[in-house]
Amino acid sequence: MKIKVGRYRIPVPKSRTGRIGAGVVLVVLGCIPGPPGPAAIPVGLTILTLDHPRGRRWRRIVVVRAGRRWQTIQAKREMRRAMKRDASLVKPDMEAEG
């Protein structure tokens, strides 16, 4: 089993105790300032949610909400780009005439 984080895929231990241990270690490492830093906390929490039904449900809800928000942001960007392209197609002479 692997967890997808951005463009990376992180392998997860097959045993339940291994997953719990890895999740706890990542959360603790995330609390310590340094190279892994705070980025390790979400990965550790994700690993910890793999074994608990409520955690899986919470994770699915968060992923769906984040995906919908991302789609909304992308649609707004595309709309702004299209409006800029349309505005740049209008010649300054045409604006003065009409």
Side-chain angles (χ1 to χ4, degrees), residues 62-77:
V62 168
V63 168
V64 168
R65 284 182 184 169
R68 287 180 181 163
R69 183 172 177 160
W70 180 256
Q71 287 176 346
T72 303
I73 290 170
Q74 291 299 321
K76 287 180 180 178
R77 277 189 192 153

Side-chain angles (χ1 to χ4, degrees), residues 1-44:
M1 181 186 314
K2 293 184 180 185
I3 294 178
K4 184 179 174 186
V5 179
R7 62 181 180 171
Y8 302 103
R9 295 187 184 269
I10 301 170
V12 178
K14 291 182 180 180
S15 70
R16 184 171 193 256
T17 56
R19 286 191 299 269
I20 291 173
V24 169
V25 166
L26 284 169
V27 170
V28 170
L29 282 177
C31 295
I32 300 171
I41 293 174
V43 177

Side-chain angles (χ1 to χ4, degrees), residues 16 45-46 48-63:
R16 184 171 193 256
L45 290 175
T46 302
L48 286 173
T49 62
L50 293 175
D51 292 318
H52 303 288
R54 285 186 182 170
R56 285 193 299 266
R57 190 174 310 121
W58 173 79
R59 189 180 70 242
R60 280 195 306 266
I61 289 169
V62 168
V63 168

